[in-house]
Amino acid sequence: QVHVVESGGGLVQPGGSLRLSCVASGSIFGIRAMGWYRQAPGKERELVARMTSGGTTNYADSVKGRFTISRDNDKTTVYLQMNSLKPEDTAVYYCNVVHALGVATAWGRGTQVTVSS
């Protein structure tokens, strides 16, 4: 069984920063990519940032220059540093892990990020 747990969400004022963490554990092997997605009320889930096992990253245009994805050396923990937050960044942020050499995917339960004054 694979466990994916996010943490670090909260309430922050516009212009502020938050750092999200995601830990993948359990019967997990062959991680191909880890990434962050978000879903705002009434909207579809969208990719925010993603990092492959080889270190390649990609970001949504809306967060480029403000968000940074990184990981620990063990490659089972990924972070999302979010700076210059805007109200439109408000959403539930989910961690996604593509594992089992790309055959399987796992999701966390999400962490709420609210940007409001």
Side-chain angles (χ1 to χ4, degrees):
Q1 190 172 4
V2 175
H3 301 278
V4 179
V5 179
E6 306 98 334
S7 61
L11 173 64
V12 63
Q13 292 187 343
S17 298
L18 280 176
R19 189 191 194 209
L20 305 183
S21 300
C22 169
V23 179
S25 63
S27 302
I28 192 165
F29 71 96
I31 292 178
R32 284 292 181 258
M34 294 183 72
W36 291 94
Y37 291 71
R38 68 186 180 188
Q39 187 166 18
K43 295 187 177 181
E44 294 186 353
R45 190 173 297 189
E46 63 175 358
L47 173 69
V48 177
R50 187 172 181 265
M51 178 180 281
T52 69
S53 58
T56 301
T57 59
N58 60 293
Y59 296 89
D61 288 342
S62 59
V63 307
K64 285 180 181 177
R66 300 188 298 123
F67 291 11
T68 303
I69 189 169
S70 61
R71 67 184 178 195
D72 278 355
N73 288 335
D74 63 5
K75 300 182 181 180
T76 60
T77 302
V78 68
Y79 306 97
L80 185 68
Q81 178 67 42
M82 305 186 294
N83 299 328
S84 302
L85 282 161
K86 305 175 181 180
E88 51 263 44
D89 294 317
T90 296
V92 178
Y93 284 69
Y94 297 91
C95 182
N96 172 266
V97 182
V98 179
H99 62 104
L101 304 178
V103 172
T105 185
W107 291 91
R109 293 188 175 185
T111 185
Q112 176 71 46
V113 171
T114 302
V115 184
S116 174
S117 55

